[in-house]
Amino acid sequence: DRTRVRTLRGLAKLRLEWNYLKRLRQGRFDTCFSMHPGDRTCLWAWASGAQWRIGTSVQPLGFLLNLAVPLPEPHLNGKDYLDYYYDLAGPLRLESKNRNTFYVLSDEARKEAQRGFHWVFQGITGPFIGLHPGASAPARQWPPERFARLADELMTSENAHIILFAGPGEEGLAQKVFDQIRGKNKAFIPSSTLKNFAACLERCHLLIGNDTG
């Protein structure tokens, strides 16, 4: 019922990693579900002190998980990620396999997003299309001028209203895309928190972004 946002940049990487591990430990979790295969996530699960540590054993540090499931990543076995996650959760003996995904939002977050949209678009109902040009690495990032060109085409063909989003440190990139969009039906709504971003996304009809990694 809590979200841990991890940001590791530059020289502060080691310190932030250590602080993250301390917060995990302080959480006193009973169960840690390592959904992504990787040495770091296995180490986090073990360092959390959780009694039950669930994840795939098909990884070098899989021995740190005491409820390991022998599953390769979805792209290696032809499964989609929802089925992969449900299979990983096998030790939990879940009775339902609901394929509807959702993110729990508070009324406060929804109201804040509504106020932002009303102030920017003054009662316009859409369609709203979100653009998120950021990515975890330059190789994963579509050029800003192409996002801008796509935005203009969507304004022309769909009468769309474009909303630019940005993560921490990506404000300059989003502003660059914003400045290159020729149409007027656009807005840049910085997201102060993950929940605020999710609440804004809930009001969008479509989100276009990169493979963020």
Side-chain angles (χ1 to χ4, degrees):
D1 59 355
R2 278 171 282 176
T3 301
R4 296 295 189 190
V5 181
R6 200 178 120 261
T7 303
L8 303 176
R9 295 181 183 277
L11 298 177
K13 180 175 181 179
L14 183 60
R15 180 181 176 184
L16 290 173
E17 186 92 1
W18 176 250
N19 289 337
Y20 179 73
L21 290 175
K22 286 198 299 185
R23 290 198 301 271
L24 278 181
R25 192 80 177 183
Q26 292 167 357
R28 298 182 180 275
F29 299 105
D30 296 317
T31 304
C32 185
F33 188 8
S34 180
M35 302 173 71
H36 180 72
D39 295 345
R40 181 174 284 144
T41 54
C42 281
L43 182 61
W44 290 342
W46 174 78
S48 72
Q51 180 180 4
W52 305 113
R53 302 179 299 278
I54 303 171
T56 176
S57 61
V58 186
Q59 53 187 318
L61 295 185
F63 64 89
L64 296 177
L65 307 172
N66 56 4
L67 289 177
V69 181
L71 278 176
E73 284 194 77
H75 69 273
L76 298 177
N77 62 13
K79 288 190 174 183
D80 65 36
Y81 271 92
L82 280 177
D83 288 332
Y84 172 72
Y85 294 146
Y86 272 119
D87 289 344
L88 274 184
L92 297 177
R93 298 181 181 179
L94 300 176
E95 296 182 359
S96 173
K97 288 193 175 183
N98 189 334
R99 299 184 65 84
N100 295 324
T101 58
F102 64 93
Y103 186 91
V104 179
L105 288 170
S106 66
D107 291 339
E108 181 181 353
R110 286 193 168 99
K111 288 178 181 178
E112 183 179 351
Q114 183 177 5
R115 286 194 296 268
F117 271 66
H118 178 74
W119 178 75
V120 172
F121 294 109
Q122 299 183 1
I124 296 173
T125 58
F128 299 118
I129 297 181
L131 298 184
H132 197 306
S136 60
R140 297 176 181 268
Q141 187 174 298
W142 209 34
E145 61 272 16
R146 295 190 182 179
F147 272 108
R149 180 179 175 184
L150 175 60
D152 282 320
E153 291 183 0
L154 289 170
M155 288 182 189
T156 300
S157 63
E158 307 298 329
N159 194 28
H161 301 268
I162 303 298
I163 302 98
L164 267 295
F165 295 107
E170 297 175 341
E171 294 84 359
L173 173 63
Q175 187 66 52
K176 186 175 182 180
V177 175
F178 183 87
D179 292 341
Q180 293 185 51
I181 297 174
R182 297 179 180 179
K184 296 181 178 180
N185 296 336
K186 60 182 180 179
F188 179 18
I189 304 180
S191 300
S192 56
T193 65
L194 184 60
K195 287 189 175 182
N196 175 256
F197 174 55
C200 288
L201 286 188
E202 187 178 46
R203 302 185 66 82
C204 291
H205 297 83
L206 176 68
L207 174 69
I208 301 172
N210 297 298
D211 173 9
T212 58

